[in-house]
Amino acid sequence: MGERVIDLRQVYKSFVMRHNRTESLKQLFIGWLDWRRRERRETFWALEGVDLQAERGEMVGLIGTNGSGKSTLLRIVAGILEPDKGQVEVRGRVAPMIEVGVGFHPELTGEENLYLNAALYGLCRDEIDEIRGEIVAYSELEKFIDVPIKNYSTGMYMRLGFAVAVHLRPDILLVDEVLAVGDEEFQEKCLKRMQRLRAEGACILLVSHDLDQVAKMCDNVYVISNGKPLFRGPAQEAVDLYRKKVDPASSQ
């Protein structure tokens, strides 16, 4: 058994959903006159009793339908969200690629954002200087690195974000559907880099709707349905169960 770097046990996470949101005195007054127009609050449980364990050098997949809780789980691993209940232990440097453009400032250039992002992960100026050239070359954005990223396409955002993340020597890389953005050639390049990181001992947590990709790349896969754990096991078994019991349309 290898070194465990992610250990989540019995994690619960809820959100409050507001219906007929009251944002003004006028709306408040209307709600006072008509109960049907009053604001109502409902608790939505995004995760209920979810466990997740992953080891160094392991690639773990998360699959489930939209809204099943996968992205919420990744945000808890990244430390962006706190669970309502449960145990969360994450060991090592985490590089989250969980939303295109997150952590970038639109008015800054690609290079300025490169330095900003790397600094947020704890690298000093000299350390960033050492890997700056590699990051730019990997992203293939040499001609656009001095352009404010508000002018970048979604694919360009992804290129820069992924290039920064994989050059930070992360212990844990979180990837949430962002590889679905951009051209196939760069996607393939990213997948190969992920395999290299894994061989070097990084743990990779992958959320993807590409079930064939998940079955091919992952060691173990968690199936989540409506915020609840459904299955954890070898990748192909998990994908087969998902296609049979959760989303039969995905096998067509």
Side-chain angles (χ1 to χ4, degrees), residues 10 22 28 31 38 94 105 110 117 126 130 133 136 144 158 169 185 189 206-207 242 247:
Q10 289 297 293
T22 301
L28 186 64
R38 294 172 190 168
V94 181
H105 192 295
N117 264 252
D126 289 343
E130 288 181 12
V136 175
F144 307 97
M158 189 277 286
R169 298 181 291 278
E185 185 178 346
K189 182 178 177 178
L206 174 68
V207 170
Y242 179 83
D247 187 11

PDB file of all heavy atoms in Angstrom, residues 10 22 28 31 38 94 105 110 117 126 130 133 136 144 158 169 185 189 206-207 242 247:
ATOM      1  N   GLN A  10     -16.719  10.189   5.332  1.00  0.00           N
ATOM      2  CA  GLN A  10     -18.070  10.606   5.733  1.00  0.00           C
ATOM      3  C   GLN A  10     -18.251  12.123   5.601  1.00  0.00           C
ATOM      4  O   GLN A  10     -18.649  12.804   6.549  1.00  0.00           O
ATOM      5  CB  GLN A  10     -18.376  10.137   7.141  1.00  0.00           C
ATOM      6  CG  GLN A  10     -18.590   8.636   7.263  1.00  0.00           C
ATOM      7  CD  GLN A  10     -19.805   8.178   6.451  1.00  0.00           C
ATOM      8  OE1 GLN A  10     -20.943   8.516   6.760  1.00  0.00           O
ATOM      9  NE2 GLN A  10     -19.549   7.409   5.389  1.00  0.00           N
ATOM     10  N   THR A  22     -35.395  37.849  -2.021  1.00  0.00           N
ATOM     11  CA  THR A  22     -35.775  39.199  -1.627  1.00  0.00           C
ATOM     12  C   THR A  22     -34.536  40.074  -1.576  1.00  0.00           C
ATOM     13  O   THR A  22     -33.669  39.889  -0.732  1.00  0.00           O
ATOM     14  CB  THR A  22     -36.457  39.186  -0.243  1.00  0.00           C
ATOM     15  OG1 THR A  22     -37.616  38.356  -0.307  1.00  0.00           O
ATOM     16  CG2 THR A  22     -36.849  40.581   0.170  1.00  0.00           C
ATOM     17  N   LEU A  28     -39.736  42.767  -0.399  1.00  0.00           N
ATOM     18  CA  LEU A  28     -40.090  42.370   0.952  1.00  0.00           C
ATOM     19  C   LEU A  28     -41.545  42.726   1.264  1.00  0.00           C
ATOM     20  O   LEU A  28     -42.287  41.937   1.854  1.00  0.00           O
ATOM     21  CB  LEU A  28     -39.149  43.056   1.954  1.00  0.00           C
ATOM     22  CG  LEU A  28     -39.284  42.647   3.420  1.00  0.00           C
ATOM     23  CD1 LEU A  28     -38.914  41.183   3.597  1.00  0.00           C
ATOM     24  CD2 LEU A  28     -38.400  43.531   4.284  1.00  0.00           C
ATOM     25  N   GLY A  31     -43.904  40.419  -0.621  1.00  0.00           N
ATOM     26  CA  GLY A  31     -43.965  39.130   0.051  1.00  0.00           C
ATOM     27  C   GLY A  31     -44.800  39.178   1.310  1.00  0.00           C
ATOM     28  O   GLY A  31     -45.475  38.203   1.666  1.00  0.00           O
ATOM     29  N   ARG A  38     -43.132  35.344  -1.011  1.00  0.00           N
ATOM     30  CA  ARG A  38     -42.105  35.478   0.015  1.00  0.00           C
ATOM     31  C   ARG A  38     -40.892  34.598  -0.305  1.00  0.00           C
ATOM     32  O   ARG A  38     -41.022  33.558  -0.940  1.00  0.00           O
ATOM     33  CB  ARG A  38     -42.680  35.083   1.391  1.00  0.00           C
ATOM     34  CG  ARG A  38     -43.747  36.025   1.890  1.00  0.00           C
ATOM     35  CD  ARG A  38     -44.407  35.488   3.150  1.00  0.00           C
ATOM     36  NE  ARG A  38     -45.581  36.283   3.493  1.00  0.00           N
ATOM     37  CZ  ARG A  38     -46.474  35.943   4.392  1.00  0.00           C
ATOM     38  NH1 ARG A  38     -46.333  34.790   5.069  1.00  0.00           N
ATOM     39  NH2 ARG A  38     -47.524  36.707   4.645  1.00  0.00           N
ATOM     40  N   VAL A  94      -1.280  21.050  -3.603  1.00  0.00           N
ATOM     41  CA  VAL A  94      -2.423  20.763  -4.470  1.00  0.00           C
ATOM     42  C   VAL A  94      -2.486  21.795  -5.588  1.00  0.00           C
ATOM     43  O   VAL A  94      -2.461  23.002  -5.335  1.00  0.00           O
ATOM     44  CB  VAL A  94      -3.749  20.787  -3.675  1.00  0.00           C
ATOM     45  CG1 VAL A  94      -4.930  20.463  -4.593  1.00  0.00           C
ATOM     46  CG2 VAL A  94      -3.689  19.809  -2.509  1.00  0.00           C
ATOM     47  N   HIS A 105      -6.364  37.173 -13.357  1.00  0.00           N
ATOM     48  CA  HIS A 105      -6.892  38.536 -13.357  1.00  0.00           C
ATOM     49  C   HIS A 105      -7.002  38.990 -14.807  1.00  0.00           C
ATOM     50  O   HIS A 105      -5.996  39.055 -15.524  1.00  0.00           O
ATOM     51  CB  HIS A 105      -5.958  39.469 -12.586  1.00  0.00           C
ATOM     52  CG  HIS A 105      -6.569  40.809 -12.299  1.00  0.00           C
ATOM     53  ND1 HIS A 105      -6.893  41.707 -13.305  1.00  0.00           N
ATOM     54  CD2 HIS A 105      -6.932  41.401 -11.133  1.00  0.00           C
ATOM     55  CE1 HIS A 105      -7.409  42.801 -12.774  1.00  0.00           C
ATOM     56  NE2 HIS A 105      -7.447  42.634 -11.458  1.00  0.00           N
ATOM     57  N   GLY A 110      -0.777  37.493 -19.841  1.00  0.00           N
ATOM     58  CA  GLY A 110      -0.533  36.083 -19.579  1.00  0.00           C
ATOM     59  C   GLY A 110       0.670  35.881 -18.680  1.00  0.00           C
ATOM     60  O   GLY A 110       0.633  35.089 -17.734  1.00  0.00           O
ATOM     61  N   ASN A 117      -0.046  33.395 -10.362  1.00  0.00           N
ATOM     62  CA  ASN A 117      -0.527  32.063 -10.001  1.00  0.00           C
ATOM     63  C   ASN A 117       0.541  31.243  -9.309  1.00  0.00           C
ATOM     64  O   ASN A 117       0.290  30.593  -8.291  1.00  0.00           O
ATOM     65  CB  ASN A 117      -1.006  31.327 -11.254  1.00  0.00           C
ATOM     66  CG  ASN A 117      -2.498  31.442 -11.466  1.00  0.00           C
ATOM     67  OD1 ASN A 117      -3.227  30.483 -11.283  1.00  0.00           O
ATOM     68  ND2 ASN A 117      -2.959  32.625 -11.839  1.00  0.00           N
ATOM     69  N   ASP A 126      12.537  33.934  -7.848  1.00  0.00           N
ATOM     70  CA  ASP A 126      13.634  33.206  -8.498  1.00  0.00           C
ATOM     71  C   ASP A 126      13.176  31.840  -8.986  1.00  0.00           C
ATOM     72  O   ASP A 126      13.573  31.391 -10.075  1.00  0.00           O
ATOM     73  CB  ASP A 126      14.814  33.050  -7.531  1.00  0.00           C
ATOM     74  CG  ASP A 126      15.535  34.365  -7.279  1.00  0.00           C
ATOM     75  OD1 ASP A 126      15.348  35.304  -8.079  1.00  0.00           O
ATOM     76  OD2 ASP A 126      16.287  34.448  -6.294  1.00  0.00           O
ATOM     77  N   GLU A 130      12.914  30.432 -13.018  1.00  0.00           N
ATOM     78  CA  GLU A 130      13.528  29.205 -13.519  1.00  0.00           C
ATOM     79  C   GLU A 130      12.594  28.405 -14.412  1.00  0.00           C
ATOM     80  O   GLU A 130      13.039  27.735 -15.361  1.00  0.00           O
ATOM     81  CB  GLU A 130      13.976  28.332 -12.344  1.00  0.00           C
ATOM     82  CG  GLU A 130      15.195  28.877 -11.605  1.00  0.00           C
ATOM     83  CD  GLU A 130      15.616  27.955 -10.473  1.00  0.00           C
ATOM     84  OE1 GLU A 130      15.103  26.808 -10.419  1.00  0.00           O
ATOM     85  OE2 GLU A 130      16.449  28.371  -9.655  1.00  0.00           O
ATOM     86  N   GLY A 133      10.148  29.980 -18.689  1.00  0.00           N
ATOM     87  CA  GLY A 133      10.302  29.613 -20.096  1.00  0.00           C
ATOM     88  C   GLY A 133       9.627  28.294 -20.431  1.00  0.00           C
ATOM     89  O   GLY A 133       9.003  28.149 -21.496  1.00  0.00           O
ATOM     90  N   VAL A 136       5.757  28.825 -20.580  1.00  0.00           N
ATOM     91  CA  VAL A 136       5.325  29.525 -21.795  1.00  0.00           C
ATOM     92  C   VAL A 136       5.425  28.603 -23.000  1.00  0.00           C
ATOM     93  O   VAL A 136       4.510  28.529 -23.830  1.00  0.00           O
ATOM     94  CB  VAL A 136       6.147  30.801 -22.011  1.00  0.00           C
ATOM     95  CG1 VAL A 136       5.774  31.459 -23.347  1.00  0.00           C
ATOM     96  CG2 VAL A 136       5.919  31.790 -20.866  1.00  0.00           C
ATOM     97  N   PHE A 144       1.288  35.357 -27.469  1.00  0.00           N
ATOM     98  CA  PHE A 144       0.192  36.025 -26.763  1.00  0.00           C
ATOM     99  C   PHE A 144       0.490  36.232 -25.280  1.00  0.00           C
ATOM    100  O   PHE A 144      -0.382  36.683 -24.544  1.00  0.00           O
ATOM    101  CB  PHE A 144      -1.100  35.206 -26.898  1.00  0.00           C
ATOM    102  CG  PHE A 144      -1.454  34.862 -28.321  1.00  0.00           C
ATOM    103  CD1 PHE A 144      -1.118  33.633 -28.863  1.00  0.00           C
ATOM    104  CD2 PHE A 144      -2.116  35.786 -29.124  1.00  0.00           C
ATOM    105  CE1 PHE A 144      -1.432  33.315 -30.174  1.00  0.00           C
ATOM    106  CE2 PHE A 144      -2.443  35.471 -30.435  1.00  0.00           C
ATOM    107  CZ  PHE A 144      -2.098  34.240 -30.964  1.00  0.00           C
ATOM    108  N   MET A 158      -7.215  27.682 -20.723  1.00  0.00           N
ATOM    109  CA  MET A 158      -6.907  26.327 -20.287  1.00  0.00           C
ATOM    110  C   MET A 158      -5.434  26.003 -20.498  1.00  0.00           C
ATOM    111  O   MET A 158      -4.781  25.411 -19.626  1.00  0.00           O
ATOM    112  CB  MET A 158      -7.777  25.324 -21.049  1.00  0.00           C
ATOM    113  CG  MET A 158      -7.689  23.887 -20.529  1.00  0.00           C
ATOM    114  SD  MET A 158      -6.269  22.934 -21.152  1.00  0.00           S
ATOM    115  CE  MET A 158      -6.814  22.609 -22.822  1.00  0.00           C
ATOM    116  N   ARG A 169       5.255  21.165  -9.846  1.00  0.00           N
ATOM    117  CA  ARG A 169       5.622  19.927  -9.169  1.00  0.00           C
ATOM    118  C   ARG A 169       4.595  19.586  -8.081  1.00  0.00           C
ATOM    119  O   ARG A 169       4.949  19.409  -6.906  1.00  0.00           O
ATOM    120  CB  ARG A 169       7.032  20.011  -8.594  1.00  0.00           C
ATOM    121  CG  ARG A 169       8.107  20.212  -9.639  1.00  0.00           C
ATOM    122  CD  ARG A 169       9.485  20.271  -9.031  1.00  0.00           C
ATOM    123  NE  ARG A 169       9.690  21.469  -8.253  1.00  0.00           N
ATOM    124  CZ  ARG A 169      10.019  22.652  -8.764  1.00  0.00           C
ATOM    125  NH1 ARG A 169      10.173  22.772 -10.078  1.00  0.00           N
ATOM    126  NH2 ARG A 169      10.195  23.695  -7.982  1.00  0.00           N
ATOM    127  N   GLU A 185      -5.053  17.964 -30.157  1.00  0.00           N
ATOM    128  CA  GLU A 185      -3.603  17.801 -30.049  1.00  0.00           C
ATOM    129  C   GLU A 185      -3.106  18.248 -28.678  1.00  0.00           C
ATOM    130  O   GLU A 185      -2.300  17.567 -28.036  1.00  0.00           O
ATOM    131  CB  GLU A 185      -2.897  18.597 -31.147  1.00  0.00           C
ATOM    132  CG  GLU A 185      -1.395  18.391 -31.180  1.00  0.00           C
ATOM    133  CD  GLU A 185      -0.725  19.147 -32.320  1.00  0.00           C
ATOM    134  OE1 GLU A 185      -1.440  19.621 -33.236  1.00  0.00           O
ATOM    135  OE2 GLU A 185       0.517  19.255 -32.300  1.00  0.00           O
ATOM    136  N   LYS A 189      -1.557  16.141 -25.419  1.00  0.00           N
ATOM    137  CA  LYS A 189      -0.327  16.585 -24.762  1.00  0.00           C
ATOM    138  C   LYS A 189      -0.530  16.655 -23.243  1.00  0.00           C
ATOM    139  O   LYS A 189       0.346  16.248 -22.464  1.00  0.00           O
ATOM    140  CB  LYS A 189       0.057  17.961 -25.322  1.00  0.00           C
ATOM    141  CG  LYS A 189       1.340  18.554 -24.782  1.00  0.00           C
ATOM    142  CD  LYS A 189       1.603  19.887 -25.483  1.00  0.00           C
ATOM    143  CE  LYS A 189       2.837  20.579 -24.943  1.00  0.00           C
ATOM    144  NZ  LYS A 189       3.113  21.859 -25.667  1.00  0.00           N
ATOM    145  N   LEU A 206      -9.293  12.915 -11.299  1.00  0.00           N
ATOM    146  CA  LEU A 206      -9.832  13.295 -12.602  1.00  0.00           C
ATOM    147  C   LEU A 206     -11.346  13.188 -12.636  1.00  0.00           C
ATOM    148  O   LEU A 206     -11.917  12.126 -12.360  1.00  0.00           O
ATOM    149  CB  LEU A 206      -9.224  12.391 -13.688  1.00  0.00           C
ATOM    150  CG  LEU A 206      -9.763  12.538 -15.111  1.00  0.00           C
ATOM    151  CD1 LEU A 206      -9.370  13.892 -15.705  1.00  0.00           C
ATOM    152  CD2 LEU A 206      -9.237  11.409 -15.997  1.00  0.00           C
ATOM    153  N   VAL A 207     -12.003  14.292 -12.976  1.00  0.00           N
ATOM    154  CA  VAL A 207     -13.441  14.298 -13.242  1.00  0.00           C
ATOM    155  C   VAL A 207     -13.623  14.434 -14.749  1.00  0.00           C
ATOM    156  O   VAL A 207     -13.097  15.363 -15.360  1.00  0.00           O
ATOM    157  CB  VAL A 207     -14.144  15.472 -12.527  1.00  0.00           C
ATOM    158  CG1 VAL A 207     -15.585  15.604 -13.026  1.00  0.00           C
ATOM    159  CG2 VAL A 207     -14.135  15.261 -11.025  1.00  0.00           C
ATOM    160  N   TYR A 242     -21.691   2.330 -14.072  1.00  0.00           N
ATOM    161  CA  TYR A 242     -22.271   3.644 -14.367  1.00  0.00           C
ATOM    162  C   TYR A 242     -23.151   3.570 -15.621  1.00  0.00           C
ATOM    163  O   TYR A 242     -24.267   4.082 -15.640  1.00  0.00           O
ATOM    164  CB  TYR A 242     -21.160   4.665 -14.562  1.00  0.00           C
ATOM    165  CG  TYR A 242     -21.658   6.050 -14.906  1.00  0.00           C
ATOM    166  CD1 TYR A 242     -22.071   6.933 -13.921  1.00  0.00           C
ATOM    167  CD2 TYR A 242     -21.718   6.483 -16.235  1.00  0.00           C
ATOM    168  CE1 TYR A 242     -22.540   8.200 -14.234  1.00  0.00           C
ATOM    169  CE2 TYR A 242     -22.178   7.740 -16.563  1.00  0.00           C
ATOM    170  CZ  TYR A 242     -22.583   8.602 -15.559  1.00  0.00           C
ATOM    171  OH  TYR A 242     -23.051   9.844 -15.885  1.00  0.00           O
ATOM    172  N   ASP A 247     -26.501   5.885 -15.908  1.00  0.00           N
ATOM    173  CA  ASP A 247     -26.777   6.627 -17.137  1.00  0.00           C
ATOM    174  C   ASP A 247     -26.703   5.682 -18.339  1.00  0.00           C
ATOM    175  O   ASP A 247     -25.716   5.682 -19.077  1.00  0.00           O
ATOM    176  CB  ASP A 247     -25.762   7.774 -17.298  1.00  0.00           C
ATOM    177  CG  ASP A 247     -26.089   8.688 -18.462  1.00  0.00           C
ATOM    178  OD1 ASP A 247     -27.187   8.575 -19.022  1.00  0.00           O
ATOM    179  OD2 ASP A 247     -25.227   9.505 -18.817  1.00  0.00           O
TER     180      ASP A 247
END
